Amino acid sequence: MRIAVCIKQVPDTKSVKMDPETGTVVRKGVQSIVNPLDLYALETALQMKETYGAETIAVSMGPPQAIEAVKEAIAMGIDGGALISDRAFAGSDTWATAYILAAAIKQLGPFDLIICGERATDGDTGQIGPEIAAELGLPTVTYVNKLIDSGKDEVTVSRLVENGAEEVAMDLPGVLTVVKEVGEPRLPTLRGKLKAKATDITKMALKDLELNTSYIGLKGSPTRVVKIFQPKVVRECRKVYAENDGMVEEAVDQLINFLKSKKVLAS
Amino acid sequence: MNDIWIVAEQHQGKVASISFELLTRGLALAAKSGQKLCAMLFGHNIEDAGLQELIDRGADMVTVIDSPELKDFLVEPYSQCILEILQKYKPQIVLAGATTSGRTLLPYVAMTAHTGLTADCTELDIEPETGLLLQTRPAIGGNLMATIKCPDFRPQMATIRPRSTPQAPHKKGRTGTIDHLTLPEKAKFSRIRFKRFVPEEEEFNLQDAERIVVVGRGIKKAENLPLIRELADALGAAVGATREVIDRGWLSYPHQIGLSGKTVTPKFYFAVGISGAIQHLAGMQTSETIVAVNSDPEAQIFQVADFGIVGNLFEVLPPLIEKIKRGEKAW
Amino acid sequence: MVKHYEYNQVTPLVANELRKIVGEKYVIYKDEEKLEPFSRDEIPGTKYRHMPEAVVRPATAQEISAIMKVANREKIPVTPRGAGSGLSGGAVPAHGGIVVSVDRMNRILELDAQNMMITVEPGVVSNEINEYLKEYDLFYAGYPMSLETCFIGGNVAENAGGGKAVKYGVTSRYVLGLEVVTPTGEIVEIGGKLLKDVTGYNLVQLMVGSEGTLGFFSKIILKLTPLPKARADLLCLFDTIDDAVELVPKIMTDTGITPTSMEFMDRSSVKAACDYLNESLPYENCGAMLLLTFDGPTKEQVEHDYELVGKFIEKHGAQEIYVADNPATTERVWKIRRNIGEAYNIFSTRQSGEDLVVPPAEIPAMIENLQKTAAKFGVMAPCFGHAGDGNIHARIVCPPEWSDEKWKETLPQILEKIYADVSSRGGRLSGEHGIGHKRKKYMDHFVSNEYLNLLRGIKLSFDPNNIMNPGKIFDL
């Protein structure tokens, strides 16, 4: 079995700060990490590798420094990796990104399974998984929270939906997107780090892929960002202190009154 | 025909409420652009009353494909049905709910149809000069809003965050057509087989809840959770949690609110023992009314709250629950 | 020969005088509710709390000086207070009187980038100094673990240590100069922007760690270092405690590399924290963990260091070594270390937090003895902390089934045993938390009477009326 895991390098949301004056994102000092939700995709692949035996490949599209994300995946136990990077890819929206990723996966393939995280914490669209599936003409199951069984031709999984879970079986090859319930991602080991350093990571640029150049980059993207602005969530918190017994009573009364004014409680 | 279409949803034959939220969006756009508002709906044994309800609440036309193959959501048959409608009616705009099915189906369709798709929109508008759909969505954990358009490809597609708008009201005497299509040949084929549905043990859906009591690490241990449930019960609210609580195994993942969990926009959000990490705020800061209890007066959660009690939750909650319950009798 | 000092109360007249000095709204008096938060620090429980009679929040050295003059005239005790995040009662007004909070003196006064020095007021949150310095690629290295709340003034008063002391040392290494308001109200400058200075006694180092008994610091000059651009952590799992602690001194001697920090966690600490966090790491069969941090100017340098040390540790029998070199994984490994305390607080709130320090090479034997003592008395004694600098935070945790009486009776016996052992190894009572009024009764287990008399002499030459934070470290 061969499994491809799509991962993205994202800024660490914890260190992302907004400049209150300009309303822009302060990039200085922001470190990059593997999209936290992609770690569950990597973990799923590694569990499958342990249980059923598989060759696992991490695939990432991004600037040259995104190679760090691929190395981190290998340090966690993934067998190999590929970085898809070209200036011509810059500005790609999800359609163009999925188009490029699908071409790369086809070239690196054949794969029995492609696993993606639920979404990336920066773009937050969650569209890449199903879009890759559509582009490759494969079935896809999203929001997978449990891998129930896997055979040569079929996987059975549970997927989380609004009011419960669905159990479905999907023919292979196919695409899964996973949520964090699949299992806590393992940490990279020293052995893994050393292996990652020694592993030759495949680098793919525009010239290495079979792509229609009018479908890539900013120009090939169907969507356009026309405006970015700061949300106007203006809240003024009425804070009451309840740091000892006497104050608790009064604070609770004030809260009750507030809830009544907001019609959360009947007045 | 170039109309505005919504992808309505049904569960076991009953039209789901997200469909009526989508109608609200569609009506607002149709009023600006003068286009017709249509709804598509796929399923099996769909109740007729539901179809009429789509019309009562704003659809000018409802196109239905009712077939055993569509009983449960399967991405391949469903996407073939949409593709059929795209081909037949050439919509200008297609809106779907940012639900687990909508967020699977629309990207699958957009890729195949080669058009743009904007995920999880919270605001929609029509650009007056061009008539283009302006799709606004939160980015970078809700720190920024981005407005996106799709100028050169059709249809313009977007998924809409559930509960980000009220449901369209019934209007007596509205008329519209209900159009039944047969299942397209390609939609008979699925490489995914539905086996069974396992309902969440606890009957709840966080994203549907109007009121949520959300617990953070301040609760200290799982044994203290009954206090939270008691508060939630008194308020008629669902229970949610921060990542810290989920990671410790105190509640299951479907309860998680925040960047790596669910995004919620209830009418009332009660944060208990939550410091307010940016990842959590991203999933809740657009709630209508936010109340927080935390012992740290500097806690970030107070920055997005309307009302805050600085104090020990174990001291504050018992009298609060008591008082809410007492009030119950007076209602 | 404990001399008894009589103190007077803060009368309404004195309160008025204080109001005239700092302004009406910066004095809290006769308002129990508002005074209460100033009666405690971060020591769990209520045993070491004491209410102040008044809280004063000055803005300048001149105002502090005026307060001290009034206090001397009236013989009212004065306790300086930073953020109140201490762990030995340093900011608690053990004899009541006036608490002087420096929270309004929170300005960064000057960055002297050429000399790599910064001048700050005592109420600056320590973490803010580094937030401010980031932009200049500079860094203040002497900060403790509670960095998000504590004030620099408190750090200097307690000579705080913390996680990075193996490589960077403790607060004292970075304090070059102070503007001091003495207990009698004189404003004196000591030290300065000098890296060498033998012009008289080294009063700067006397003031650092004096726990607020010798004066206020109204200005603090700190030495800075270049900001390390890269960091990585190794989380090393071992079969036994011995495997882990015996390696601690060898890591530096055998590899020639000084990690930024070397934190140790024994089996019970690891288990409590991992259970609490629902951490999925394979810790069940692990007897101890070491958490090593490396930092440096480049990623390559840090990689080189952790690989060398990591290979050395692997060769010496680690079960597994995990590498964290980005914010997400770093947070995950450090979370374990940081949550030990909280994990035990949930288990039982009856605890005694110890801050034992021994010569680093004595760590293995000290821990072994401590575990034996704990086992003998039937209590839990998770050990964790800054193994790299010989400083272990042992907690004596009361079994939940014990009665309060039994706990109160047994704890002193346990401590006697532990302290006797630590002392016999050349160790001391506190590495970084301080003595305060919490630990002073055990001072004589560790230091001679002659030493204490020297301290008493120094104290009286600064503070003849013994009004400055009386009842701390030792009795006069």
Side-chain angles (χ1 to χ4, degrees), chain B residues 3 37 49 74 96 102 110 113 128 153 178 198 202 240 247 250 285 307 316:
Chain B
D3 296 321
L37 177 59
L74 292 170
F153 294 84
I178 295 173
V198 186
E202 212 176 320
D247 284 354
W250 298 344
Q285 59 189 351
F307 191 98
V316 173

Side-chain angles (χ1 to χ4, degrees), chain A residues 13-14 16 18 23 25 37 40 95 98-99 118-119 122-125 127 130-131 133-135 137-140 142-143 154 159-171 179-181 215 222-229 231 233 235-242 248-249 251-256 258-259 262-266, chain B residues 73 75-76 99-100 103-104 107-108 110-112 114-119 136-137 140 142-151 153 191-200 205 211 235 243 247 253-254 256 259-261 268 270 278-279 285 287-291 297 302 304-311 315-316 319-320 323-324 331:
Chain A
T13 339
K14 259 202 191 124
V16 170
M18 301 297 296
V25 180
L37 298 170
Y40 301 101
W95 194 97
Y99 174 68
E118 182 197 335
R119 58 196 151 81
D122 58 347
D124 220 5
T125 72
Q127 294 181 167
E131 284 180 337
E135 180 64 17
L138 297 177
T140 181
T142 50
Y143 304 99
E154 185 186 274
R159 72 183 288 257
L160 282 186
V161 295
E162 278 72 11
N163 42 14
E166 294 173 354
E167 211 175 290
V168 298
M170 176 181 80
D171 287 350
V179 297
K180 65 185 282 184
E181 275 197 348
Y215 288 179
T223 59
R224 294 268 179 282
V225 176
V226 288
K227 190 169 85 172
I228 287 184
F229 59 101
V233 188
R235 284 186 209 262
E236 205 142 320
C237 183
R238 223 177 93 203
K239 253 191 248 179
V240 295
Y241 288 76
V248 169
E249 184 82 12
V252 167
D253 284 341
Q254 288 195 37
L255 173 57
I256 296 265
F258 174 80
L259 295 179
K262 293 286 175 188
K263 303 211 172 9
V264 174
L265 295 177
Chain B
F73 170 72
V75 70
E76 290 167 288
T99 57
T100 54
R103 290 187 82 156
T104 309
Y108 207 80
M111 198 71 208
T112 312
H114 195 171
T115 189
L117 168 64
T118 305
T136 300
R137 66 183 303 268
I140 319 200
N143 281 308
L144 282 181
M145 301 297 283
T147 302
I148 290 162
K149 61 185 180 185
C150 175
F153 294 84
R191 288 168 288 184
I192 299 165
R193 287 161 298 284
F194 188 89
K195 294 205 149 167
R196 61 189 187 120
F197 175 70
V198 186
E200 171 78 19
N205 178 353
R211 299 167 171 204
L235 286 163
R243 179 179 171 161
D247 284 354
Y253 174 61
Q256 185 178 327
L259 212 53
S260 50
F268 176 56
F270 196 148
I278 182 168
Q279 292 92 331
Q285 59 189 351
S287 303
E288 204 170 297
T289 299
I290 298 173
V291 168
F302 290 124
V304 302
D306 302 290
F307 191 98
I309 293 185
V310 181
E315 287 167 16
V316 173
L320 177 64
K323 283 197 171 147
I324 295 172
W331 295 352

Side-chain angles (χ1 to χ4, degrees), chain C residues 58-226:
Chain C
T60 63
Q62 286 69 29
E63 288 179 6
I64 298 176
S65 163
I67 296 164
M68 291 317 297
K69 287 189 170 145
V70 171
N72 266 293
R73 192 192 69 214
E74 300 289 332
K75 306 279 180 297
I76 297 171
V78 173
T79 304
R81 184 179 180 91
S85 59
L87 287 163
S88 54
V92 173
H95 289 266
I98 303 166
V99 163
V100 175
S101 167
V102 297
D103 64 308
R104 289 175 65 218
M105 299 173 70
N106 59 358
R107 290 173 304 164
I108 291 176
L109 297 173
E110 184 210 30
L111 170 64
D112 183 344
Q114 250 185 326
N115 281 314
M116 298 223 294
M117 291 170 197
I118 192 167
T119 308
V120 298
E121 290 189 321
V124 174
V125 173
S126 307
N127 193 37
E128 273 171 21
I129 298 176
N130 280 329
E131 283 296 317
Y132 172 82
L133 290 172
K134 246 186 207 166
E135 201 182 319
Y136 304 95
D137 286 335
L138 288 168
F139 168 65
Y140 164 63
Y143 63 7
M145 307 277 276
S146 65
L147 63 162
E148 272 164 29
T149 51
C150 60
F151 291 176
I152 188 67
N155 292 173
V156 176
E158 299 289 329
N159 192 8
K164 300 192 171 183
V166 180
K167 179 167 170 182
Y168 292 110
V170 297
T171 303
S172 59
R173 197 197 278 187
Y174 299 91
V175 182
L176 299 176
L178 295 167
E179 180 187 85
V180 174
V181 183
T182 67
T184 50
E186 317 305 325
I187 300 173
V188 187
E189 286 194 14
I190 60 176
K193 288 185 181 176
L194 301 165
L195 298 172
K196 291 179 168 181
D197 178 12
V198 291
T199 321
Y201 291 161
N202 191 344
L203 287 188
V204 174
Q205 294 303 321
L206 173 64
M207 299 307 288
V208 179
S210 60
E211 301 194 18
T213 62
L214 298 182
F216 284 87
F217 315 133
S218 46
K219 276 182 200 162
I220 301 163
I221 302 170
L222 298 169
K223 185 169 73 172
L224 305 175
T225 38

